[in-house]
Each structure stands twice: as C-alpha cells, then as structure tokens.
Amino acid sequence: PLGETRRATPKGRLGAAISTEDYPEASTRAGEEGTTTVSYVIGTDGRVQQGSCKIAQSSGFDRLDRRTCELVERRFRFNPALDNGTPVAENRSQRVRWQIPK
C-alpha cells in the first residue's frame, strides 16, 4: 500500500548474535554482571552503522558496555526498514543481559 512504512526485521536470530561465549574473560574473572541497553542505527543496507552504537543505560561495567556495542556493530544484520518500498535508516535499541555462566 502507498504510504506504507515497514520496520527493519532481523536476519536470523538476533538473540543468538550475543552469547555467553562472548563474555570478556576479564569480566568473568572480576564477576562483572549486568544489563546494557544500547541504541544504534540500522542503515539502508541492513547493517548497523559503524560508530552509531551508543550506551543508553550502562551495565555498570565499561568493559561489558564496550563489548555490547562491538558485537552489535559487527554481527547484527537486518532487512532494512522501508518507506514506500525504499530502504531507509532506522534507530533501534537493544538490551543485552550479561550473566556469568554457572
């Protein structure tokens, strides 16, 4: 339909994009856990624009926050948002819970 805007949709499973295997070793040793919320821009190519990831709410640990943005920018892929069939950039946010595997 004319005037239709569609949000970007994940390619694959975003939840699987960051796993316990991504935990920084130093953070594991230090017992650092928390939830990082980031905001970022999905470009017209469906990739997260490099340098667009910003910490919206810190986990309380700089190392975990930095790792979140690094992984989001490197791994997350989308089918781009569309405005009348034309790809457009979209702002998005994501929460990542860092919990040391037991």
Side-chain angles (χ1 to χ4, degrees), residues 37-41 52-56 69 72 91-94:
T37 304
V38 296
S39 62
Y40 53 91
V41 177
S52 73
C53 186
K54 306 289 183 228
I55 306 302
C69 273
V72 165
N91 294 310
R92 185 67 68 92
S93 62
Q94 177 81 31

Side-chain angles (χ1 to χ4, degrees), residues 7 35-43 47-58 65-66 68-73 76 78 90-96:
R7 289 179 52 96
T35 300
T36 301
T37 304
V38 296
S39 62
Y40 53 91
V41 177
I42 301 165
R47 296 177 70 119
V48 175
Q49 293 179 352
Q50 294 300 302
S52 73
C53 186
K54 306 289 183 228
I55 306 302
Q57 185 169 354
S58 175
D65 295 344
R66 283 196 319 265
T68 303
C69 273
E70 174 190 320
L71 294 168
V72 165
E73 289 184 356
F76 283 23
F78 296 85
E90 180 182 319
N91 294 310
R92 185 67 68 92
S93 62
Q94 177 81 31
R95 290 177 56 172
V96 175

